[in-house]
Amino acid sequence: FKDSDKINESYAEAVDVMSGIGIIDGMTDGTFTPAGNFTRAQAAKIIAYMQLGVDAAQSLKATTNLFKDVSAGNWAAPYISYCAQMGIIAGYGNGNFGPTDALTGYQFAKMLLCAVGYGTKGEYNGANWAINVAKDALNKGVFDNVLSASTNSVITREQATQMAFNTLTGIDKVTYSSLV
C-alpha cells in the first residue's frame, strides 16, 4: 500500500496476511488508510471472503434489495445479502442496513462471532447484547492485540483487520450436532 508506513506496527502482520490472502484490500487509490473508519459494508465483504474464500465471494450476486438503503447494484450488496441470509448481520430494524455507517468494536465483534457460529441462542440480542459480545470476544481472542477496539466506539480499518485476523487464525468454528 502507498501508505504502509502509516500502519501501526502492532497490526502490520494482520494487514500483511489478510491482504496477502485477498481477504482485505485497500482503497481505489492504492492506500490502505489504516486510521480510516471501517464501514458496515466493508465488514460484510470481509466476512463473506473469510467464509467463502476469494473466488466464491467474488462470484456472489445480489438480485433483490434486502434493505431499503442497499440496492442490488451496490458494490457491497452481494456480501450484505450473503451475510444477512446466513444470520451474521441484520439491519437497524427499520428496513435499513447503513452500509456506509462506521462500525464499532462491539458491532464488528458480534458479526465475527456470529460468522463462526456463536450467538445462535439470541445472546447477542436485546439490552445486554454488547456485554455478552464483549465477554465472548475477549474470552475467545477476537480482541487479542487490539484491546483498544473492545468498546462501543468506532474502530479503524487496521483495528478491524486485526480483529478479523484473530478470528480467522485463532477461533474455532462452532459446530452443532443434531444429537444434542
Side-chain angles (χ1 to χ4, degrees):
F1 301 106
K2 291 179 185 178
D3 59 350
S4 60
D5 60 320
K6 293 184 176 26
I7 296 169
N8 184 310
E9 183 178 305
S10 299
Y11 309 134
E13 178 186 17
V15 172
D16 288 346
V17 170
M18 298 299 276
S19 63
I21 60 176
I23 291 177
I24 294 187
D25 52 16
M27 310 309 273
T28 55
D29 65 358
T31 62
F32 183 72
T33 317
N37 285 348
F38 185 64
T39 68
R40 291 169 58 86
Q42 291 168 339
K45 179 183 177 186
I46 287 169
I47 289 171
Y49 274 56
M50 288 172 61
Q51 284 208 319
L52 300 172
V54 175
D55 292 338
Q58 286 177 339
S59 68
L60 289 172
K61 304 282 186 243
T63 56
T64 60
N65 301 347
L66 289 180
F67 299 100
K68 294 187 293 190
D69 60 346
V70 182
S71 71
N74 182 300
W75 72 268
Y79 313 120
I80 293 168
S81 292
Y82 169 79
C83 289
Q85 290 169 1
M86 298 303 294
I88 296 167
I89 61 170
Y92 289 125
N94 62 359
N96 291 322
F97 178 71
T100 60
D101 293 353
L103 204 59
T104 69
Y106 290 157
Q107 289 170 336
F108 192 43
K110 177 183 177 180
M111 292 176 184
L112 291 168
L113 287 167
C114 288
V116 294
Y118 293 91
T120 60
K121 298 184 190 277
E123 61 268 38
Y124 300 157
N125 297 323
N128 293 324
W129 77 269
I131 293 168
N132 294 333
V133 165
K135 179 182 149 209
D136 285 350
L138 285 167
N139 289 335
K140 303 294 180 203
V142 174
F143 292 124
D144 286 358
N145 195 40
V146 65
L147 197 55
S148 60
S150 64
T151 69
N152 210 21
S153 297
V154 173
I155 56 174
T156 65
R157 289 174 46 80
E158 65 186 357
Q159 289 173 319
T161 302
Q162 183 69 50
M163 291 170 65
F165 176 77
N166 293 344
T167 303
L168 186 66
T169 61
I171 300 177
D172 291 330
K173 188 169 184 159
V174 177
T175 55
Y176 296 93
S177 169
S178 60
L179 302 175
V180 180

